[in-house]
Amino acid sequence: MIQAIRGMSDILPADTPYWQYIEDSACALFSAYGYGEIRFPLVEKTELFARSIGEVTDIVEKEMYVFTDRSGESLSLRPEGTAGCVRAGIQHHLLRNQIQRLWYMGPMFRHERPQKGRYRQFHQIGVEAFGIPDPGIDAEILMMITRLWRKLGVSGLRLELNSLCTGTARDIYREKLIKYFSAQLDRLDEDSRRRLHTNPLRILDSKNPALWPIIENAPRISDFLDSESKEHFEALRSILDTVKIDYVVNPYLVRGLDYYTGTVFEWTTDRLGSQAAVCAGGRFDTLVSQMGESSTPALGCAIGLERLVELLKEDSQKSDGRNIPKPTPHAYLVAVGAKAGCTGHSLAEELRDRFPDLRLIVDTQTGSFKAKLKRADRSAAQIALLLGENEVTTGQVGVKHLREQVSQRTLTRSELNDYLDTLLTDMK
Ligand code: ATP
Ligand code: MG
């Protein structure tokens, strides 16, 4: 049997309600803040990712799915959404001198070592805002995502913030770091040694615990912030304090992509083992100009959906699944005999016309009445609608409650409509 590719999962009907719940909640919330959805391809030119994410990053160096297509062009499966979003924004003239609030959702691909919370195809929901230099927009995104956690009822997430500073301040800090790490070259691992001169900030982000004691004593970026970055960061913090959003400043938070310039942030949890980050992002004020458009400040973040689903599932099991809408059927229609079968389909279609929210399953298999009722019971529906020769002749419908001890009744069509009206209202 052919199996799915390692690290690429099927999401089965038992789990899709969690996904839909997150997707629907995010879509409604983002649109309430004025963010419009953008959809861009899963495949782009490799050069796009190399230029935007950075050549000396984990993603571009070792995680991308790169292939040559039949016309000899190097293409890659998208490892993240910002590059494609910026490319599309520039190509369709959405960014020049304009404010754009955008969001996207879909699968991303990275060739990492698969483990719990880390996959080769995974899903992100991301938001990006373009054209606003003001720290108010940094705060808006943080408030919006915080509201999403609240709306979903996910607890135990911690917001970490840092500011990366830009321009000459960044260069000075970079030099300091190179000097500091060079002095203990023999204690660095291979990755860090290779990055020492190309991307020393990334060493701070190392997942190798052996390096943490060295990292802890490294020069701190907060001591090198230029006055503009400092002001921006302080203004952001004061908005967050005013709206009472909890955060901690983590001076070692640098993020794994090259394009971040100012504010960077991550929501982490200790409930997912070492795959702790659930949402991450920051400011990338120079990326748009680097990609060929006039200079446009920007920032954004992406939520890792597999990790969020994991948390949501855990929380929902604790609360008996109260927060997740359950798509169990309201009714299951059982018809016995050829004539009743035909009437059954026409009754079902009429009910669907009248009650667009009705979840109704029509039994379309052969079998005895008893077998059909068994299937009705297994469907988890609240009631069975019964049609036999008699009901077809009298134009009535039998109603049998499957979950409560209520005696079976025979209703006229208009009584059935009233009955379903009440049932749907009660089950809302
Ligand atoms: P990590 O440090 O866990 O590798 P990252 O910094 O590479 O994360 P980003 O590129 O910022 O992650 O992506 C944003 C979010 O997407 C992450 O916070 C995480 O929730 C999720 N994510 C990233 N890579 C994966 C993956 N391979 N499998 C599942 N989720 C992922
Ligand atoms: Mg990663």
Side-chain angles (χ1 to χ4, degrees), residues 110 112 117-119 122 124 207 255 277-280 302 304 307:
R110 297 183 194 176
E112 301 193 70
R118 190 172 296 286
Y119 308 96
F122 62 99
Q124 289 184 334
K207 293 204 169 80
R255 314 280 308 110
V278 177
C279 175
R307 297 181 193 178

Side-chain angles (χ1 to χ4, degrees), residues 156-210:
L157 290 179
R158 191 168 103 121
L159 173 59
E160 297 183 11
L161 275 187
N162 194 18
S163 174
L164 289 186
C165 74
T166 52
T168 45
R170 176 102 156 234
D171 295 341
I172 294 171
Y173 179 60
R174 216 184 103 97
E175 287 312 313
K176 280 267 185 268
L177 270 187
I178 295 179
K179 212 165 147 199
Y180 171 80
F181 285 122
S182 300
Q184 18 205 347
L185 205 57
D186 50 334
R187 296 174 68 195
L188 297 183
D189 61 10
E190 198 194 314
D191 257 359
S192 308
R193 257 181 247 160
R194 195 161 38 83
R195 288 195 173 136
L196 183 58
H197 291 279
T198 45
N199 202 345
L201 263 74
R202 287 302 319 282
I203 301 176
L204 299 177
D205 194 35
S206 170
K207 293 204 169 80
N208 178 359

Side-chain angles (χ1 to χ4, degrees), residues 288-420:
V288 176
S289 61
Q290 201 181 304
M291 303 308 287
E293 180 57 281
S294 51
S295 172
T296 305
L299 82 161
C301 65
I303 300 170
L305 288 185
E306 279 75 5
R307 297 181 193 178
L308 182 57
V309 164
E310 196 62 36
L311 293 178
L312 187 66
K313 249 170 132 173
E314 225 181 79
D315 284 345
S316 123
Q317 273 151 12
K318 263 187 255 152
S319 65
D320 270 348
R322 244 173 298 137
N323 52 348
I324 311 295
K326 276 201 214 85
T328 53
H330 299 110
Y332 189 100
L333 193 147
V334 167
V336 180
K339 212 165 162 200
C342 188
T343 309
H345 281 296
S346 110
L347 169 64
E349 287 303 300
E350 282 170 36
L351 292 176
R352 293 188 207 282
D353 285 342
R354 191 179 181 99
F355 303 103
D357 295 333
L358 175 69
R359 291 191 295 273
L360 168 66
I361 298 194
V362 178
D363 186 274
T364 46
Q365 288 159 267
T366 52
S368 66
F369 180 62
K370 203 172 150 205
K372 283 169 182 277
L373 264 191
K374 218 173 182 173
R375 287 199 287 268
D377 194 42
R378 272 206 309 261
S379 77
Q382 293 297 306
I383 56 167
L385 300 177
L386 310 172
L387 279 178
E389 296 278 312
N390 274 347
E391 285 78 10
V392 172
T393 315
T394 59
Q396 291 174 311
V397 183
V399 175
K400 181 177 167 55
H401 215 291
L402 299 168
R403 311 288 147 212
E404 285 167 32
Q405 287 295 345
V406 182
S407 51
Q408 188 176 319
R409 299 158 64 189
T410 304
L411 303 179
T412 65
R413 289 296 302 281
S414 89
E415 285 168 342
L416 176 64
N417 288 341
D418 292 344
Y419 182 90
L420 288 177

Side-chain angles (χ1 to χ4, degrees), residues 26-36 103 144:
C27 174
L29 181 70
F30 297 164
S31 119
Y33 276 80
Y35 288 69
W103 71 273
M144 184 167 80

